[in-house]
């Protein structure tokens, strides 16, 4: 039994100073702190020495309130560095400057990146919601976000091939059972699936969009059920109607090449149509010029009024010669006098269509005189 109840015993070790384990009987009154304990062991205060208990460094001002038979370890604090073991004085500053000179990019999980393409709009990065559209190379968009970008002319260069609604294909997604009634804010993860196989639209399986009807099916469904019609609405489709959604680089390159070929064919058709319309307009103008429709005269009435050119170059109703002869038909130049109504004065009727008649009135700057001979 300890004769002095206020005293207690502790163990002291110092591997750094190669001191064997010692048993010390201490009194809190004589040595209230570790600083006093250090002075009792060493005549001179050594700031490089410090105590640890259970691996935790202790300050010199720590009071001696330890459980009896505790083991204190006396260690030496080595000078230099920040105490973390990272600086030995042998390295130069260049290694630290080079370490932080170039920031290494954060590695992105490829699956997470692919999952984001299947869950979010390619333009606004918002969760996909109906109505949705795809472009001709397989990117999926919220239709509202894409239309707003087109109206505001804020479409990024990566989607520069989208010029209007003709470059969008409306698609129909099959919602996962139980999630179509939930709020968009509470839905997490994939919301759509293949209506045939039930595979989720999450990037793990390949999906196709059919241009003919807009339904989105998994590639596995089209492989297992070989058909040339949609498995949902039974609308026929061809191989060119298949658009791979969020495909790899090779699939996107093939879709882009097909898109450029279709646009080239469309441009050629437009050029041919414009040329055909121009030729038709020229023919219509020539016909109007010859028939007199330019002046509001009926074509049939003009045909009856105009004489038919005979093979010998003579006009049948008037006997006047017309240039051209039998080698090439010639047409008499239109004159309003020839088609004047029966009860109309030819000169007056002709003055409606021409202003070449000479004036027989003497005019001044203030009035028009009577005809000559009546003054």
């Amino acid at each position: 039994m300890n004769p002095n109840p206020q005293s207690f015993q502790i163990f002291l070790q110092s591997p750094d100073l190669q001191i064997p384990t010692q048993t010390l009987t201490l009194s809190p009154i004589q040595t209230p702190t570790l600083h006093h304990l250090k002075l009792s062991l060493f005549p001179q205060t050594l700031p490089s020495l410090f105590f640890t208990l259970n691996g935790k460094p202790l300050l010199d001002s720590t009071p001696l309130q330890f459980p009896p038979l505790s083991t204190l370890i006396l260690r030496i604090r080595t000078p230099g560095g920040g105490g973390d073991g990272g600086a030995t004085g042998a390295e130069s500053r260049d290694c630290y400057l080079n370490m932080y000179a170039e920031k290494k990019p954060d590695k992105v999980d490829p699956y997470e990146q692919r999952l984001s393409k299947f869950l979010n709009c390619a333009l606004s990065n918002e969760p996909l919601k109906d109505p949705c559209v795809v472009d001709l190379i397989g990117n999926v968009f919220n239709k509202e976000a894409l239309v707003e970008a087109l109206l505001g002319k804020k479409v990024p260069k990566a989607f520069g091939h989208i010029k209007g609604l003709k470059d969008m294909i409306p698609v129909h997604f099959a919602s996962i059972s139980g999630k179509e009634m939930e709020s968009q804010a509470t839905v997490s993860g994939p919301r759509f699936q293949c209506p045939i196989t039930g595979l989720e639209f999450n990037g793990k399986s390949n999906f196709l969009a059919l241009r003919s009807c807009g339904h989105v099916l998994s590639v596995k469904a089209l492989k297992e059920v070989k058909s040339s019609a949609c498995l949902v609405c039974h609308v026929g489709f061809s191989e060119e109607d298949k658009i791979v959604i969020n495909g790899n680089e090779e699939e996107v390159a093939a879709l882009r090449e097909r898109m450029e070929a279709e646009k080239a064919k469309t441009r050629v058709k437009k050029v041919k149509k414009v040329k055909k319309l121009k030729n038709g307009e020229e023919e219509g103008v020539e016909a109007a010029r010859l028939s007199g429709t330019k002046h509001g005269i009926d074509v049939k009435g003009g045909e009856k009024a105009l004489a038919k050119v005979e093979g010998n170059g003579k006009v049948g109703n008037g006997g006047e010669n017309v240039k051209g002869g039998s080698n090439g038909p010639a047409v008499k130049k239109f004159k309003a006098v020839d088609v004047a109504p029966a009860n109309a004065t030819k000169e007056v009727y002709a003055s409606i269509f021409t202003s070449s008649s000479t004036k027989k009135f003497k005019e001044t700057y203030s009035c028009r005189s009577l005809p000559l001979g009546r003054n």
Side-chain angles (χ1 to χ4, degrees), residues 111-366:
Y111 171 71
E112 293 294 336
Q113 190 175 10
R114 180 171 174 80
L115 177 63
S116 177
K117 290 183 178 181
F118 279 80
L119 300 184
N120 302 326
C121 171
L123 180 62
S124 64
N125 204 28
E126 297 178 353
L128 291 175
K129 58 181 180 180
D130 292 326
C132 297
V133 295
V134 297
D135 59 5
L136 297 178
I137 60 177
N139 296 310
V140 189
F141 304 90
N142 289 332
K143 186 176 181 180
E144 182 179 355
L146 186 56
V147 170
E148 288 180 358
L150 288 173
L151 293 177
K153 296 181 180 181
K154 298 179 180 179
V155 180
K157 188 178 294 184
F159 306 121
H161 57 278
I162 303 177
K163 304 297 183 182
L165 295 175
K166 62 182 179 180
D167 299 320
M168 308 178 197
I169 302 172
V171 292
H172 309 289
F173 285 105
S175 300
I176 297 177
S177 177
K179 289 191 175 182
E180 62 271 11
M181 300 301 295
E182 297 180 10
S183 173
Q184 180 65 29
T186 61
V187 173
S188 60
R191 300 180 59 249
F192 307 114
Q193 64 179 356
C194 174
I196 306 301
T197 61
L199 295 175
E200 292 185 351
F201 192 71
N202 57 4
K204 293 183 179 180
S205 304
N206 296 328
F207 279 77
L208 297 173
L210 303 179
R211 297 177 62 179
S212 55
C213 61
H215 283 101
V216 178
L217 304 173
S218 63
V219 176
K220 183 179 180 181
L222 295 177
K223 285 184 178 180
E224 292 181 353
V225 184
K226 296 183 179 179
S227 174
S228 59
C230 176
L231 303 178
V232 179
C233 61
H234 308 291
V235 174
F237 65 89
S238 61
E239 194 67 24
E240 295 182 353
D241 292 332
K242 296 180 180 179
I243 297 179
V244 182
I245 296 179
N246 296 325
N248 54 31
E249 294 182 359
E250 296 179 358
E251 292 170 339
V252 172
L255 291 174
R256 190 180 296 276
E257 184 177 355
R258 188 171 70 184
M259 177 186 67
E260 296 296 338
E262 291 178 358
K263 289 186 177 181
K265 289 182 181 179
T266 305
R267 286 194 292 268
V268 172
K269 289 182 181 179
K270 286 184 178 180
V271 171
K272 289 183 178 180
K273 186 176 181 180
V274 170
K275 288 183 178 180
K276 188 175 180 180
L277 289 174
K278 287 183 177 180
N279 294 336
E281 289 177 358
E282 291 178 358
E283 292 176 358
V285 171
E286 185 67 21
R289 184 184 298 113
L290 296 177
S291 63
T293 56
K294 179 179 178 181
H295 302 286
I297 302 172
D298 188 10
V299 177
K300 294 182 179 180
E303 290 179 353
K304 292 179 181 179
L306 293 176
K308 294 183 179 180
V309 180
E310 298 179 353
N312 57 359
K314 294 182 179 180
V315 181
N317 63 346
E320 297 178 1
N321 294 332
V322 180
K323 295 182 180 179
S326 59
N327 295 332
V331 181
K332 185 178 180 181
K333 186 177 180 180
F334 170 75
K335 292 183 179 180
V337 179
D338 298 335
V339 292
N343 298 326
T345 305
K346 293 184 177 181
E347 294 181 356
V348 176
Y349 185 78
S351 65
I352 299 175
F353 303 99
T354 180
S355 60
S356 59
S357 59
T358 57
K359 295 181 180 181
K360 298 181 180 180
F361 298 95
K362 185 176 181 181
E363 298 180 2
T364 63
Y365 71 94
S366 61

